[in-house]
mmCIF file of all heavy atoms in Angstrom:
data_model
loop_
_atom_site.group_PDB
_atom_site.id
_atom_site.type_symbol
_atom_site.label_atom_id
_atom_site.label_comp_id
_atom_site.label_asym_id
_atom_site.label_seq_id
_atom_site.Cartn_x
_atom_site.Cartn_y
_atom_site.Cartn_z
ATOM 1 N N GLY A 1 86.641 144.493 112.773
ATOM 2 C CA GLY A 1 86.966 143.080 112.620
ATOM 3 C C GLY A 1 85.790 142.242 112.161
ATOM 4 O O GLY A 1 84.654 142.693 112.072
ATOM 5 N N LEU A 2 86.081 140.973 111.888
ATOM 6 C CA LEU A 2 85.051 140.065 111.392
ATOM 7 C C LEU A 2 83.992 139.772 112.448
ATOM 8 O O LEU A 2 82.812 139.608 112.129
ATOM 9 C CB LEU A 2 85.697 138.752 110.935
ATOM 10 C CG LEU A 2 86.549 138.814 109.663
ATOM 11 C CD1 LEU A 2 87.222 137.469 109.439
ATOM 12 C CD2 LEU A 2 85.713 139.181 108.461
ATOM 13 N N ASP A 3 84.393 139.711 113.716
ATOM 14 C CA ASP A 3 83.458 139.350 114.773
ATOM 15 C C ASP A 3 82.349 140.379 114.930
ATOM 16 O O ASP A 3 81.197 140.028 115.204
ATOM 17 C CB ASP A 3 84.192 139.179 116.107
ATOM 18 C CG ASP A 3 85.138 137.988 116.099
ATOM 19 O OD1 ASP A 3 84.925 137.091 115.266
ATOM 20 O OD2 ASP A 3 86.079 137.965 116.895
ATOM 21 N N LEU A 4 82.683 141.665 114.776
ATOM 22 C CA LEU A 4 81.712 142.724 115.019
ATOM 23 C C LEU A 4 80.890 143.089 113.791
ATOM 24 O O LEU A 4 79.705 143.400 113.906
ATOM 25 C CB LEU A 4 82.422 143.983 115.551
ATOM 26 C CG LEU A 4 83.053 143.846 116.941
ATOM 27 C CD1 LEU A 4 83.776 145.125 117.317
ATOM 28 C CD2 LEU A 4 81.984 143.531 117.976
ATOM 29 N N GLN A 5 81.506 143.100 112.616
ATOM 30 C CA GLN A 5 80.762 143.553 111.445
ATOM 31 C C GLN A 5 80.632 142.503 110.353
ATOM 32 O O GLN A 5 80.064 142.765 109.298
ATOM 33 C CB GLN A 5 81.425 144.805 110.851
ATOM 34 C CG GLN A 5 82.849 144.581 110.335
ATOM 35 C CD GLN A 5 83.408 145.825 109.664
ATOM 36 O OE1 GLN A 5 82.669 146.641 109.134
ATOM 37 N NE2 GLN A 5 84.730 145.980 109.711
ATOM 38 N N GLY A 6 81.119 141.284 110.622
ATOM 39 C CA GLY A 6 81.019 140.254 109.594
ATOM 40 C C GLY A 6 81.984 140.523 108.456
ATOM 41 O O GLY A 6 82.823 141.413 108.512
ATOM 42 N N GLY A 7 81.865 139.757 107.404
ATOM 43 C CA GLY A 7 82.759 139.935 106.261
ATOM 44 C C GLY A 7 83.072 138.604 105.614
ATOM 45 O O GLY A 7 82.221 137.724 105.540
ATOM 46 N N MET A 8 84.317 138.456 105.195
ATOM 47 C CA MET A 8 84.703 137.266 104.451
ATOM 48 C C MET A 8 86.102 136.829 104.858
ATOM 49 O O MET A 8 87.012 137.649 105.008
ATOM 50 C CB MET A 8 84.667 137.593 102.952
ATOM 51 C CG MET A 8 84.945 136.425 102.042
ATOM 52 S SD MET A 8 84.773 136.935 100.300
ATOM 53 C CE MET A 8 85.059 135.371 99.478
ATOM 54 N N SER A 9 86.251 135.544 105.063
ATOM 55 C CA SER A 9 87.556 134.968 105.398
ATOM 56 C C SER A 9 87.857 133.859 104.397
ATOM 57 O O SER A 9 87.041 132.961 104.200
ATOM 58 C CB SER A 9 87.554 134.423 106.823
ATOM 59 O OG SER A 9 88.795 133.817 107.129
ATOM 60 N N VAL A 10 89.023 133.939 103.765
ATOM 61 C CA VAL A 10 89.389 132.981 102.723
ATOM 62 C C VAL A 10 90.799 132.480 102.972
ATOM 63 O O VAL A 10 91.688 133.249 103.353
ATOM 64 C CB VAL A 10 89.332 133.633 101.319
ATOM 65 C CG1 VAL A 10 89.677 132.617 100.241
ATOM 66 C CG2 VAL A 10 87.969 134.234 101.053
ATOM 67 N N VAL A 11 91.001 131.187 102.781
ATOM 68 C CA VAL A 11 92.344 130.608 102.845
ATOM 69 C C VAL A 11 92.723 130.135 101.448
ATOM 70 O O VAL A 11 92.031 129.305 100.852
ATOM 71 C CB VAL A 11 92.417 129.435 103.840
ATOM 72 C CG1 VAL A 11 93.825 128.821 103.824
ATOM 73 C CG2 VAL A 11 92.066 129.899 105.251
ATOM 74 N N LEU A 12 93.782 130.696 100.914
ATOM 75 C CA LEU A 12 94.285 130.316 99.598
ATOM 76 C C LEU A 12 95.571 129.516 99.779
ATOM 77 O O LEU A 12 96.351 129.780 100.700
ATOM 78 C CB LEU A 12 94.564 131.561 98.753
ATOM 79 C CG LEU A 12 93.419 132.566 98.607
ATOM 80 C CD1 LEU A 12 93.915 133.835 97.929
ATOM 81 C CD2 LEU A 12 92.286 131.962 97.804
ATOM 82 N N GLN A 13 95.792 128.569 98.909
ATOM 83 C CA GLN A 13 97.021 127.775 98.997
ATOM 84 C C GLN A 13 97.642 127.625 97.614
ATOM 85 O O GLN A 13 96.965 127.242 96.653
ATOM 86 C CB GLN A 13 96.760 126.407 99.606
ATOM 87 C CG GLN A 13 98.043 125.584 99.759
ATOM 88 C CD GLN A 13 97.898 124.460 100.765
ATOM 89 O OE1 GLN A 13 96.785 124.114 101.150
ATOM 90 N NE2 GLN A 13 99.013 123.900 101.201
ATOM 91 N N VAL A 14 98.920 127.953 97.536
ATOM 92 C CA VAL A 14 99.660 127.788 96.291
ATOM 93 C C VAL A 14 99.945 126.303 96.098
ATOM 94 O O VAL A 14 100.431 125.630 97.010
ATOM 95 C CB VAL A 14 100.978 128.587 96.316
ATOM 96 C CG1 VAL A 14 101.766 128.354 95.031
ATOM 97 C CG2 VAL A 14 100.695 130.066 96.505
ATOM 98 N N SER A 15 99.640 125.775 94.940
ATOM 99 C CA SER A 15 99.873 124.358 94.648
ATOM 100 C C SER A 15 101.352 124.161 94.335
ATOM 101 O O SER A 15 101.799 124.379 93.204
ATOM 102 C CB SER A 15 99.008 123.914 93.461
ATOM 103 O OG SER A 15 99.287 122.582 93.121
ATOM 104 N N GLU A 16 102.108 123.716 95.342
ATOM 105 C CA GLU A 16 103.551 123.541 95.165
ATOM 106 C C GLU A 16 103.852 122.454 94.136
ATOM 107 O O GLU A 16 104.828 122.558 93.387
ATOM 108 C CB GLU A 16 104.204 123.205 96.501
ATOM 109 C CG GLU A 16 104.123 124.335 97.520
ATOM 110 C CD GLU A 16 104.901 124.034 98.777
ATOM 111 O OE1 GLU A 16 105.472 122.926 98.882
ATOM 112 O OE2 GLU A 16 104.940 124.905 99.668
ATOM 113 N N GLU A 17 103.016 121.409 94.103
ATOM 114 C CA GLU A 17 103.266 120.343 93.132
ATOM 115 C C GLU A 17 103.135 120.841 91.693
ATOM 116 O O GLU A 17 103.882 120.405 90.803
ATOM 117 C CB GLU A 17 102.337 119.144 93.370
ATOM 118 C CG GLU A 17 100.868 119.479 93.387
ATOM 119 C CD GLU A 17 100.337 119.670 94.784
ATOM 120 O OE1 GLU A 17 101.038 120.289 95.611
ATOM 121 O OE2 GLU A 17 99.214 119.197 95.046
ATOM 122 N N ASP A 18 102.212 121.781 91.455
ATOM 123 C CA ASP A 18 102.071 122.341 90.106
ATOM 124 C C ASP A 18 103.295 123.166 89.725
ATOM 125 O O ASP A 18 103.723 123.161 88.564
ATOM 126 C CB ASP A 18 100.813 123.205 90.020
ATOM 127 C CG ASP A 18 99.543 122.368 90.011
ATOM 128 O OD1 ASP A 18 99.645 121.144 89.811
ATOM 129 O OD2 ASP A 18 98.449 122.938 90.210
ATOM 130 N N VAL A 19 103.842 123.894 90.712
ATOM 131 C CA VAL A 19 105.043 124.689 90.449
ATOM 132 C C VAL A 19 106.219 123.775 90.120
ATOM 133 O O VAL A 19 106.971 124.020 89.162
ATOM 134 C CB VAL A 19 105.392 125.581 91.662
ATOM 135 C CG1 VAL A 19 106.674 126.372 91.389
ATOM 136 C CG2 VAL A 19 104.248 126.530 91.971
ATOM 137 N N VAL A 20 106.374 122.705 90.902
ATOM 138 C CA VAL A 20 107.467 121.749 90.658
ATOM 139 C C VAL A 20 107.319 121.125 89.283
ATOM 140 O O VAL A 20 108.296 121.014 88.523
ATOM 141 C CB VAL A 20 107.490 120.655 91.751
ATOM 142 C CG1 VAL A 20 108.462 119.540 91.376
ATOM 143 C CG2 VAL A 20 107.867 121.255 93.101
ATOM 144 N N ASP A 21 106.104 120.714 88.944
ATOM 145 C CA ASP A 21 105.876 120.074 87.643
ATOM 146 C C ASP A 21 106.149 121.042 86.495
ATOM 147 O O ASP A 21 106.646 120.650 85.446
ATOM 148 C CB ASP A 21 104.439 119.545 87.569
ATOM 149 C CG ASP A 21 104.318 118.328 86.659
ATOM 150 O OD1 ASP A 21 105.340 117.660 86.417
ATOM 151 O OD2 ASP A 21 103.204 118.053 86.187
ATOM 152 N N ALA A 22 105.820 122.305 86.699
ATOM 153 C CA ALA A 22 106.088 123.314 85.667
ATOM 154 C C ALA A 22 107.584 123.527 85.499
ATOM 155 O O ALA A 22 108.089 123.673 84.376
ATOM 156 C CB ALA A 22 105.411 124.630 86.035
ATOM 157 N N LEU A 23 108.319 123.533 86.617
ATOM 158 C CA LEU A 23 109.777 123.687 86.545
ATOM 159 C C LEU A 23 110.424 122.499 85.834
ATOM 160 O O LEU A 23 111.458 122.648 85.172
ATOM 161 C CB LEU A 23 110.364 123.827 87.953
ATOM 162 C CG LEU A 23 110.020 125.113 88.712
ATOM 163 C CD1 LEU A 23 110.501 125.023 90.151
ATOM 164 C CD2 LEU A 23 110.645 126.324 88.021
ATOM 165 N N ALA A 24 109.815 121.325 85.965
ATOM 166 C CA ALA A 24 110.319 120.130 85.279
ATOM 167 C C ALA A 24 109.751 120.012 83.875
ATOM 168 O O ALA A 24 110.022 119.016 83.186
ATOM 169 C CB ALA A 24 109.960 118.883 86.084
ATOM 170 N N GLN A 25 108.985 121.032 83.457
ATOM 171 C CA GLN A 25 108.348 121.057 82.132
ATOM 172 C C GLN A 25 107.492 119.806 81.909
ATOM 173 O O GLN A 25 107.480 119.226 80.828
ATOM 174 C CB GLN A 25 109.396 121.186 81.023
ATOM 175 C CG GLN A 25 110.263 122.432 81.154
ATOM 176 C CD GLN A 25 111.315 122.523 80.076
ATOM 177 O OE1 GLN A 25 111.050 123.039 78.989
ATOM 178 N NE2 GLN A 25 112.501 121.985 80.340
#
């Protein structure tokens, strides 16, 4: 796990507004 050996934690978020705008062209 991260606590014992370190590493990397990332939070990604899909931009819902960009998807909506693309659907509306």
Side-chain angles (χ1 to χ4, degrees):
L2 290 174
D3 293 338
L4 293 177
Q5 63 176 332
M8 184 177 183
S9 178
V10 182
V11 177
L12 307 171
Q13 182 160 15
V14 178
S15 176
E16 295 186 358
E17 55 263 41
D18 287 346
V19 178
V20 170
D21 209 21
L23 292 172
Q25 302 178 86

